Amino acid sequence: MSTELIKVTINEKDFHVPKGSRLIDVCRERSFDIPSFCYYADLALQASCRMCLVRIEKMPKLQTSCTIICTDGMVVTTQSEEIEKAQRSMLEFLLVNHPLDCPVCDRGGECELQELTFDWGNLEERFIEPKNARPEKYLSPMVANDPQRCILCKRCTRVCDEWMGEDAIEAGNRGANTVIGTYGGWLNCSECGNCIEVCPTGTLLDGTYRHQARPWELTQTVSTCTYCSDGCQMSLGSRGGELMRIVARDRYVNGLNGEFLCIKGRFGHPFVNHEQRLRTPLIRYQKGGKLIPATWDEATRFAAERLDLIAEANGRDSIAVIGSPRLTNESLYALKKFATEVVGTENYAIADAFSLTTFFDNLGGPLATHRDIRQAKTIVLIGGEPEELQPLTGKQIRQAVRNGGAKFILINSVRIRLREQASQFIHIRPGTEEAAVLGLFSDADDSRAAQKLGIDTGELETARKTINETQGDIVVMFGNELSDEAQAVVAQLPKVFAGVGRRVLLHPLPLFNNSVGAHDLMEGDKSVFELLDGAGESIRAMYVAGSLLPMHTRPREDALGKLDLLVVQELFETDTTRFADVVFPAASFAEVDGTFTNNDGFVQRVRRAIEPVHQSKADWMITTQLARELGVEFGFEMSASAVFREIAARVPAYANLRYPVLKDESQPVQVKHVIAPQRDLSTEIAAIRRAVEDMDESLKPIEETPLVGHELFRLGTLTDKVPQFHLLAAGNPKPETFRISPLYQITIDESLKREPVMAG
Ligand code: SF4
Ligand code: SF4
Ligand code: SF4
Ligand code: FES
């Protein structure tokens, strides 16, 4: 939008607003209330509800303010008898076929139609004709549908198309019979539930929470998602110690994701109150024996005594400490403090899918925020699959292209769905991402790199030309395919592409909610692989907070069994606790205070929505208790904010941060990662050149586009506790009838009924 100001008069008051401003936004920003249903900022215009009417001087009829761009000298009236009459008539029409069943509607109490009817509607209905009646049904395991409540604002279809790129729902039929429906009667989409979130009525509903609680019974707690590294802000609705639902609705929260959440963030929470949560500490008194419930004092003493004995017999470095990138910054900090100040071992590591150390050591420009991605002029994505692994980033890329006109250079061996948005898709051989980094870095290796990538040399040249001609922001993103050397080169691309009129920003795509925080607070020189390789030899004991990933344990299945002592703190029994001698029950993200650092570098608050279930405790508290048993007092006084104060005092990137500074989720605070000067990358480039030489030229780029949900629906420790995820992981079979919960397909022994199904 232009910075030039123009004069607009609204209800006899003069304002100066930027040229190009939309009238509905201008009115609302200046506290003139304008009702609307179909207008939704940052989505294509629909202009169908006609609730946003205003009178504009010199225009013949009432105008829809959502379609009007302000012009200099415009004189506007937002409230008058004429406007009110028109708005009341519109509401009366909208309610003609509406069942008015607010007392049994899940949206009752937080429904925009209900609110606007109270504020702008008539109290009496004049239509006495029979209403169109349509039965309630499910559209998928996650999305329930009551078609009669629809006001055809089409927010849902636009969100599905523009945010998700899926077009899974559309309006069918005509006139008074128009309904929102699916193709083929059953939703096979990414099940994000954003159509539910933006629906202003109770037409699309959370199928997992249906008829469980009324909105006003829920205590809302703003917190941060515990799944991917995007760090969506969300509102946890709890009642009586139980987490009932999660929404991102901006009436409760206004974070970096607006009203967006993906399936995991929105529907993946039932693990919190799941019956399989660990209830008490457990001790395995003999190798090969059973885990036996114990008190906290017994288990802590048991672990501490054995750690002491092992350190005495084998030295301090025989004890390894491993943290999960799912833990809060506070818990990771306490864990590293335990490793270095209590045990005195150099053997500590993060159980993440890949390390960000060389990336941050060479960081040549700021991290891109999600807002930067949305407003970028050019986006370069090397590897990765954000629409499945960091869905908010995927949505920002899509909107930057579709609604913002950004150029999108996609470099991938797979035809991922985002290629539909790409202005240039460089389809490379699997495992050659580093050759692409070399090609982007300079033209010196173009022909060699292109040969290995299996592309024309000109494709690299075109990509560099697009980048070098960009006026505005360039965002460079990468997935987990890059080696440390290639990450170092990507981190320095802001120096390579620096130019007048553009910023070059970086956006790593790690997999976990606190991968960046784990890097900042606990990254050491060791990898989990090295520590596991030493199990039973130089490493005699391990203290693991969270669990190891299958990528760590599968190639070394017997490693944990070789230890003299394994202490684990977890929510559930896992493949890691299977070998544990002591297990402490840890509290979930919904039960603790703390912070996560997302892939924007934003440090965002995690807030306790319910009391810790059973006897579980926050991970940092467990570590503090174990340290105390070993004779070291951390002095955190049972307060997460005290841990965070110590982080701020000791970790330079987090200097001066405090919980009150982080309290407003609409103004997230970015951690101060050091921006490195331009580096001599000759060592890294030489290593990449050697790797490129060895690349296999016989492989072919992958032609199939992976199925929607192939990563999102994958069952992990947490999503395994959500029955609906089992349906999706089993291919989302269409049930025999949509009129009762699709969960009826799961039998009592949790297996899926797989009888042939018919359309309902
Ligand atoms: S759940 Fe998401 S992808 Fe599926 S129809 Fe709704 S908005 Fe579209
Ligand atoms: S289902 Fe909801 S969002 Fe979609 S058109 Fe109907 S009222 Fe609007
Ligand atoms: S995009 Fe990531 S952070 Fe956002 S809701 Fe999904 S899993 Fe959570
Ligand atoms: S909000 Fe303007 S027509 Fe619906």
Side-chain angles (χ1 to χ4, degrees), residues 623-675:
T623 307
T624 304
Q625 193 166 334
L626 196 53
R628 187 177 301 129
E629 194 67 35
L630 286 162
V632 180
E633 188 54 67
F634 280 175
F636 295 148
E637 292 155 3
M638 303 304 280
S639 137
S641 65
V643 189
F644 194 70
R645 275 201 299 278
E646 191 166 310
I647 294 175
R650 290 202 187 176
V651 182
Y654 290 68
N656 301 323
L657 295 184
R658 292 281 185 279
Y659 282 178
V661 177
L662 309 177
K663 73 172 189 288
D664 180 0
E665 76 280 354
S666 68
Q667 310 270 336
V669 179
Q670 206 173 30
V671 54
K672 298 177 206 71
H673 288 119
V674 176
I675 306 291

Side-chain angles (χ1 to χ4, degrees), residues 711-722 725-727 729:
E711 287 290 344
L712 278 171
F713 305 162
R714 192 189 290 276
L715 294 171
T717 305
L718 305 183
T719 51
D720 171 59
K721 309 301 180 295
V722 189
F725 270 82
H726 285 264
L727 287 172

Side-chain angles (χ1 to χ4, degrees), residues 225 227-228 230-232 260-262 264-265 391-392:
C225 178
Y227 282 100
C228 89
D230 277 337
C232 290
F260 174 94
L261 288 177
C262 79
K264 288 187 173 169
L392 174 63

Side-chain angles (χ1 to χ4, degrees), residues 349-574:
I350 306 163
D352 207 338
F354 68 104
S355 162
L356 291 167
T357 303
T358 50
F359 172 74
F360 279 113
D361 284 352
N362 291 279
L363 191 71
L367 293 187
T369 66
H370 285 88
R371 184 186 294 247
D372 293 329
I373 299 169
R374 170 65 184 82
Q375 288 166 357
K377 292 292 176 226
T378 299
I379 299 170
V380 184
L381 170 61
I382 310 164
E385 192 177 7
E387 65 271 55
E388 293 279 325
L389 299 168
Q390 297 85 9
L392 174 63
T393 296
K395 175 242 175 195
Q396 295 300 90
I397 296 174
R398 199 172 288 111
Q399 277 206 292
V401 175
R402 292 190 49 152
N403 305 48
K407 296 213 164 111
F408 176 38
I409 302 168
L410 173 65
I411 304 173
N412 209 302
S413 61
V414 184
R415 287 182 173 277
I416 60 172
R417 297 198 309 284
L418 271 176
R419 83 180 184 290
E420 286 165 16
Q421 262 66 55
S423 48
Q424 188 186 3
F425 174 34
I426 306 184
H427 198 187
I428 61 174
R429 293 195 175 102
T432 60
E433 288 79 6
E434 283 181 68
V437 172
L438 195 61
L440 280 184
F441 182 70
S442 80
D443 56 11
D445 297 86
D446 266 9
S447 60
R448 192 81 195 108
Q451 185 186 333
K452 294 291 184 180
L453 292 162
I455 60 170
D456 290 340
T457 320
E459 293 186 58
L460 290 170
E461 220 173 281
T462 309
R464 283 195 304 266
K465 186 162 178 284
T466 305
I467 295 168
N468 283 320
E469 286 176 356
T470 301
Q471 286 293 300
D473 285 356
I474 301 165
V475 177
V476 183
M477 307 181 183
F478 63 94
N480 60 353
E481 294 87 347
L482 299 191
S483 66
D484 286 350
E485 290 81 9
Q487 276 196 39
V489 173
V490 169
Q492 286 276 296
L493 286 179
K495 311 289 185 198
V496 177
F497 294 127
V500 180
R502 64 172 167 261
R503 289 192 307 165
V504 185
L505 308 163
L506 299 162
H507 194 76
L509 296 171
L511 298 186
F512 295 102
N513 53 312
N514 203 23
S515 290
V516 173
H519 159 81
D520 295 343
L521 294 161
M522 204 189 158
E523 188 90 72
D525 297 332
K526 298 284 163 46
S527 74
V528 172
F529 294 119
E530 284 172 73
L531 299 180
L532 284 174
D533 284 340
E537 308 286 332
S538 57
I539 303 294
R540 310 300 313 179
M542 268 189 196
Y543 172 31
V544 183
S547 280
L548 305 180
L549 301 176
M551 63 177 279
H552 298 130
T553 47
R554 289 221 175 110
R556 295 164 176 78
E557 266 188 349
D558 54 343
L560 293 177
K562 292 185 197 162
L563 294 166
D564 298 338
L565 178 72
L566 175 61
V567 179
V568 181
Q569 51 203 46
E570 247 300 359
L571 274 67
F572 298 97
E573 291 197 20
T574 65

Side-chain angles (χ1 to χ4, degrees), residues 307-321:
L307 283 171
D308 243 349
L309 288 173
I310 289 168
E312 209 170 293
N314 306 285
R316 291 169 176 272
D317 281 333
S318 68
I319 297 173
V321 179

